[in-house]
Amino acid sequence: CTIRTARTVSFCPISPAGVTMPKQDFGKIYYNQTPAQYISVLTPLDYGHYHDRLNVMIHDEMLALNDQVVSVELGSSYGNTTISYRCGYDWEKTSEFWLDDSKPVEDKRPIKVIGVDISAEALQFGKDRGIFQEIVVHDFKDPFGEKIDFTNSNMMISIMTTYYIPTERWLEACYKFLADRSQPKLLVYNMLMAFDKRNWSPEVLFAGVPGWRSSTSFDKHRNFSETEKETRKGCNEAWTLTYFVHFDALGDAALGQEKPSKRKRQE
C-alpha cells in the first residue's frame, strides 16, 4: 500500500490493469467478528444509498431465473448485498438485522448462496447468521480452480468488489459460470468508475457469446472520504456502473429467442 505518513492513511494497492485514482483502504472493517465497525465507518459516507438502489433493481432482474436460485457471490464480505437480494432489506434494515442475532433471514424466494471472500471472519459471520449456505475463503489474485461450483449456479454477483479482482480471474469465473447453459443465468456486477479504468462492459466481455442481453444503471456509489477528496479537485461523490447481464438457456439462444428484460433500462 501507499502510505501518507503525515496522517497515517493507507490506500489500496494499484490493480494490475491500472487504477485511475487512489482508493482509501478501510482495512480492519472487513476482518472483524461482526460488521459493527463496517456499519459505523461506511454509513456516514452514504454507502447505504447504492445498497438501496440495488435493492430496487435486482428483484425484477431475478424474475428471469428458475424458481430455485443458486448464487455465487464474489466478494460477499458480511453479506449486505446478499441480504438485499435474498430478503429485500434496505440499508437501515440490513444494519438492524446484522446487529441483532435474534433476527432470522426472511427470504423473498428460495436462494442458496455460496459466499466467496478473502475474509474468513466475515464469511463465518454470514454463515452463522444463515446469510450464506456455503463459504469459500479465497484471495482473488489466485486461480479459482475447482473449489467453487460456478457451473451449476444460475446467478453470479460481484458488487463493490471487481476493483479487487484481476481481469484474468474475472474471465476465469465468467467462463466457468457459462460452461453450462442449460438454464437461464444472470450475471450482476458493478465497476467503480472513480477508481478503476478497466472496460468490463458486456459488449467487450461477451462479444463472441451467443444469446445474451444486458441493461446498465449509473448510480452514486458513496461519498469520497476526506482523504480521497484531497485528490479529487472538488468532487465529493464516487459513482458506479452496474451491469445486469441475462444469458438465455442454450435452447433459447439457438432459436434466437430473446426475452425482454423485466426492468426498464436506464435512459
Side-chain angles (χ1 to χ4, degrees), residues 7-267:
R7 297 171 62 180
T8 320
V9 175
S10 62
F11 289 95
C12 292
I14 294 176
S15 74
V19 174
T20 56
M21 298 288 274
K23 178 179 180 294
Q24 185 166 339
D25 182 359
F26 293 102
K28 292 184 178 180
I29 69 170
Y30 306 109
Y31 295 94
N32 293 317
Q33 301 299 318
T34 78
Q37 189 180 22
Y38 186 101
I39 296 168
S40 65
V41 170
L42 294 181
T43 298
L45 296 178
D46 199 20
Y47 195 75
H49 174 91
Y50 179 83
H51 176 100
D52 293 351
R53 175 68 180 138
L54 180 68
N55 193 34
V56 169
M57 297 187 288
I58 195 167
H59 296 284
D60 282 348
E61 300 289 348
M62 290 175 66
L63 292 175
L65 298 176
N66 293 339
D67 290 339
Q68 181 60 55
V69 177
V70 178
S71 171
V72 172
E73 187 170 338
L74 302 179
S76 53
S77 191
Y78 298 98
N80 57 298
T81 296
T82 324
I83 294 168
S84 174
Y85 66 80
R86 282 192 63 180
C87 308
Y89 293 174
D90 62 14
W91 178 253
E92 182 177 357
K93 193 170 182 179
T94 295
S95 299
E96 293 173 354
F97 168 82
W98 265 346
L99 298 176
D100 186 347
D101 290 343
S102 69
K103 290 184 179 295
V105 173
E106 299 173 331
D107 280 322
K108 291 175 69 72
R109 62 184 295 180
I111 299 178
K112 173 185 176 181
V113 181
I114 303 169
V116 184
D117 201 90
I118 195 172
S119 171
E121 295 86 351
L123 288 174
Q124 192 60 55
F125 170 86
K127 187 172 184 181
D128 290 345
R129 291 297 307 276
I131 301 169
F132 312 128
Q133 282 66 52
E134 297 180 16
I135 55 176
V136 179
V137 179
H138 183 75
D139 187 331
F140 292 117
K141 296 192 299 293
D142 300 329
F144 291 104
E146 302 302 321
K147 62 183 180 180
I148 302 168
D149 189 5
F150 290 101
T151 303
N152 292 314
S153 63
N154 55 358
M155 178 172 165
M156 187 168 84
I157 182 167
S158 183
I159 295 298
M160 301 302 176
T161 50
T162 55
Y163 174 89
Y164 304 101
I165 304 176
T167 300
E168 60 270 27
R169 297 283 73 81
W170 179 253
L171 292 174
E172 179 194 358
C174 289
Y175 292 151
K176 291 177 182 295
F177 178 61
L178 296 175
D180 184 343
R181 296 283 298 276
S182 61
Q183 61 176 321
K185 294 198 169 189
L186 172 63
L187 173 63
V188 183
Y189 64 102
N190 71 322
M191 298 299 291
L192 307 183
M193 308 306 294
F195 306 108
D196 192 341
K197 66 182 180 181
R198 292 175 295 175
N199 182 359
W200 280 13
S201 64
E203 290 77 12
V204 170
L205 295 178
F206 308 115
V209 177
W212 64 270
R213 64 200 180 280
S214 68
S215 57
T216 306
S217 186
F218 186 51
D219 301 285
K220 179 182 175 181
H221 164 199
R222 60 167 170 80
N223 296 332
F224 286 126
S225 69
E226 291 303 316
T227 304
E228 288 168 340
K229 286 180 184 178
E230 294 177 7
T231 61
R232 298 295 168 162
K233 298 181 180 180
C235 294
N236 294 319
E237 297 177 350
W239 284 59
T240 181
L241 273 172
T242 305
Y243 298 103
F244 301 89
V245 191
H246 291 267
F247 296 91
D248 296 325
L250 188 60
D252 293 330
L255 293 172
Q257 298 173 353
E258 292 195 358
K259 303 172 186 177
S261 174
K262 300 292 184 180
R263 180 177 61 82
K264 293 182 179 179
R265 298 186 180 188
Q266 301 295 307
E267 296 296 331

